[in-house]
Amino acid sequence: MLDLLVIGAGLSGLTTALAAAEAGLTVRIVAKGLGALHWSAGTIDVLGYLPGAPFAVEEPFAAIAQLPERHPYRILGAERVAASLRRFQTLIAQAGLDYTGAPDLARNQLLPSAVGAVRPIFLAPAAQQHGDTQASAPMLIVGIAGLRDFYPELVAENLAKQGIHARAAFVPWESVADQRDRNNMQLAIGLDDPAQRRKLAQALKALMRPGERIGMPAILGMADHAAVMAELEAATGATLFEVPTLPPSVPGARLHAALRNALRARAVRLESNMEAIGFGVDEGPQGAHVAWVETATSARPLRHQARAYVLATGGVLGGGFTSDPTGRFWERIFDLPLTVPQDRRAWFRPAFLDTAGQPVFHGGVAVDDQLQPRAGAGPRVYANLWAVGGALADADPIMERSMEGIAIATGMVAAAHVAASLRTRAATVAAA
């Protein structure tokens, strides 16, 4: 029988599956879709803002102690969160992507967004690193004439308003593509062609001034990304960095592809278009446990059996939770107890941008110190079920800028707990 079935293919689900496979478990992922990495900046936020605080967090691990008591980071502890991020950095490097952070790996960096705002980031792809706004070198923000959704003048203007030396310029469309109607993903794939990137290098050399670092929309290669960066820097003699764009996100797609390749190398199968719609329960000596999970298919529902299950479907924005007009708010697969108020009037505060966030986004699945769902102070709901990522209660990942950090840390730790639980169970059976 399969050791672990992960339900959900976002960053938390992929990380859980990868860590579990590394621990020697047989793992499969089932999911309705493929998560939201293609909509992300491809960076790893650990903790950018504390609830209600107007300023960005400088040292995320040190700030964990200021979070609510049952926040996922408080449950894990700062040391395990830090160790999980270091482990992720190693695994993703083995998959071909370099993610780096501040030299001491304790501080956030401040990187520019697609509108010239400053984002507190803990780990970023190497291609974004040289955009650190705390560095002194002036920036040349380069756009492509005719490219939708990236406006270098807006980026440079907003950076300048924050005291960052930046100017804007454009290269012609022909320097990145021969066809007009191309999105970011198609442009990135096109720049995998050495001939096309030589055109881009010539156009960049005509614009740059001595001492400038060049910021471009994140389209610098897909499968051959590292070679594109290296060749452009060698040809121009300047440092380049990417600025994430609106979706589809090339850095997010690169991260997703690297994780998928790492999972394939460990014989982990991901089955998408399989929405979990039901489950079965058996009673055992340790209480109720999940016996199977059922997914929708084009024909009849398909049952999946495993020794352990991890819920990684996200919260309300990820589709893991839903609601109805009566005010009921529930988890979609196992109907797990949620901390979300069961009263529509209590879901939101009057101010849309309230610095304390909205209650509906703070609610989720309450878990114990092993990341297993519990009904209040009662026992574990199911003995072989764990929950990770955006499904967990007492955090607001978007407001905190903690989404990727929570996904990675809880996924890594949950995988370790699953492996330990299965080893204990096997030893008990053997002893009997």
Side-chain angles (χ1 to χ4, degrees):
M1 181 187 291
L2 188 71
D3 289 325
L4 175 63
L5 182 72
V6 176
I7 308 164
L11 182 58
S12 61
L14 298 179
T15 301
T16 303
L18 181 57
E22 282 280 297
L25 304 186
T26 56
V27 186
R28 184 182 307 154
I29 305 169
V30 294
K32 180 180 180 180
L34 292 176
L37 282 176
H38 291 72
W39 280 259
S40 77
T43 51
I44 306 300
D45 299 348
V46 172
L47 182 61
Y49 296 92
L50 289 168
F55 303 108
V57 169
E58 291 185 7
E59 299 184 21
F61 301 130
I64 285 175
Q66 301 177 55
L67 292 169
E69 183 180 357
R70 295 308 297 174
H71 189 285
Y73 284 157
R74 291 287 301 276
I75 291 173
L76 301 183
E79 288 187 8
R80 282 203 293 183
V81 175
S84 297
L85 269 294
R86 290 193 297 269
R87 181 60 180 151
F88 172 83
Q89 194 179 16
T90 299
L91 289 174
I92 206 65
Q94 292 171 355
L97 279 182
D98 287 331
Y99 270 69
T100 58
D104 59 359
L105 272 188
R107 294 178 176 273
N108 282 328
Q109 302 167 93
L110 298 177
L111 304 182
S113 76
V115 295
V118 172
R119 306 173 295 135
I121 302 297
F122 183 71
L123 290 177
Q128 296 184 35
Q129 285 298 313
H130 294 296
D132 189 350
T133 59
Q134 296 168 305
S136 59
M139 296 182 182
L140 169 61
I141 307 298
V142 176
I144 293 93
L147 176 64
R148 299 183 295 270
D149 300 331
F150 187 82
Y151 302 94
E153 292 159 322
L154 174 64
V155 177
E157 179 182 350
N158 285 335
L159 289 172
K161 288 177 179 178
Q162 300 170 80
I164 301 161
H165 190 181
R167 68 181 182 95
F170 288 88
V171 293
W173 180 268
E174 291 73 22
S175 65
V176 294
D178 295 327
Q179 296 173 300
R180 279 283 166 185
D181 191 15
R182 303 283 92 179
N183 65 25
N184 296 336
M185 303 283 284
Q186 293 164 327
L187 291 174
I189 293 169
L191 284 171
D192 285 338
D193 178 1
Q196 189 64 62
R197 54 189 185 245
R198 284 193 291 271
K199 293 182 184 178
L200 177 57
Q202 292 173 357
L204 291 174
K205 287 174 69 175
L207 296 174
M208 56 182 291
R209 297 172 184 168
E212 287 183 323
R213 44 184 167 151
I214 301 173
M216 292 197 64
I219 60 167
L220 301 180
M222 184 63 74
D224 210 15
H225 167 60
V228 175
M229 290 291 295
E231 288 182 25
L232 288 176
E233 290 189 331
T236 61
T239 298
L240 267 70
F241 65 92
E242 289 188 320
V243 180
T245 65
L246 294 177
S249 165
V250 172
R254 292 181 195 131
L255 176 55
H256 183 266
L259 288 168
R260 289 289 302 272
N261 290 338
L263 289 167
R264 289 191 192 99
R266 292 161 176 82
V268 177
R269 196 168 77 203
L270 191 162
E271 298 178 347
S272 60
N273 296 318
M274 284 196 171
E275 181 179 7
I277 57 173
F279 69 107
V281 175
D282 283 341
E283 293 292 338
Q286 296 181 332
H289 64 274
V290 178
W292 48 264
V293 167
E294 196 170 59
T295 58
T297 68
S298 58
R300 62 179 185 275
L302 177 65
R303 287 187 177 180
H304 309 263
Q305 289 184 304
R307 295 180 175 86
Y309 300 81
V310 168
L311 179 71
T313 51
V316 58
L317 296 179
F321 306 157
T322 191
S323 62
D324 65 22
T326 70
R328 182 177 174 235
F329 209 99
W330 70 97
E331 188 273 314
R332 300 180 68 127
I333 301 172
F334 301 102
D335 197 18
L336 296 171
L338 299 181
T339 62
V340 179
Q342 298 295 310
D343 180 349
R344 293 180 63 186
R345 295 169 296 183
W347 290 353
F348 301 100
R349 293 186 173 91
F352 177 68
L353 296 178
D354 195 304
T355 57
Q358 304 296 343
V360 72
F361 298 129
H362 282 83
V365 178
V367 294
D368 61 16
D369 292 347
Q370 308 294 309
L371 298 178
Q372 294 198 258
R374 285 187 181 270
R380 292 170 180 166
V381 182
Y382 300 110
N384 62 340
L385 177 65
W386 285 258
V388 297
L392 300 180
D394 297 310
D396 190 339
I398 293 178
M399 187 192 73
E400 298 167 357
R401 293 196 68 91
S402 61
M403 182 178 293
E404 293 84 10
I406 289 176
I408 290 168
T410 58
M412 292 278 185
V413 172
H417 285 314
V418 170
S421 175
L422 294 183
R423 285 195 297 268
T424 300
R425 195 182 311 171
T428 301
V429 171

